[in-house]
Amino acid sequence: SDVPVFHEIVGSYATYFQPTDSSDLYQKLEEVIKRPQVKTTQEIFRRFSWEIMARETLDVYQDAASSPL
């Protein structure tokens, strides 16, 4: 579905369709079926890990703790 949160997470790795348009979904599914897979799931998931999430969360907390009120 073509919603902002999916663009944030998956970026250009996904094919997006209008959520209220079944013909758009049909067209996009046909496109995906006909084209070869360029990027694998592993490529997508490599961008995410618990270690990265923990490090980024800690950075946010440290920035907040060091900022004046």
Side-chain angles (χ1 to χ4, degrees):
S1 186
D2 192 0
V3 292
V5 69
F6 293 149
H7 285 273
E8 182 180 332
I9 295 169
V10 187
S12 64
Y13 290 97
T15 299
Y16 300 100
F17 64 93
Q18 294 303 314
T20 58
D21 186 350
S22 60
S23 63
D24 188 41
L25 171 59
Y26 181 85
Q27 177 186 3
K28 299 298 173 43
L29 285 171
E30 280 190 322
E31 291 173 12
V32 168
I33 290 168
K34 290 177 184 177
R35 75 170 176 243
Q37 290 295 325
V38 177
K39 296 180 168 79
T40 65
T41 325
Q42 288 298 323
E43 289 178 74
I44 297 169
F45 290 127
R46 231 178 272 140
R47 297 177 29 208
F48 303 98
S49 73
W50 283 110
E51 183 179 342
I52 292 170
M53 187 275 313
R55 189 177 311 119
E56 290 176 358
T57 302
L58 180 60
D59 290 345
V60 169
Y61 286 139
Q62 288 175 331
D63 287 346
S66 65
S67 296
L69 296 175

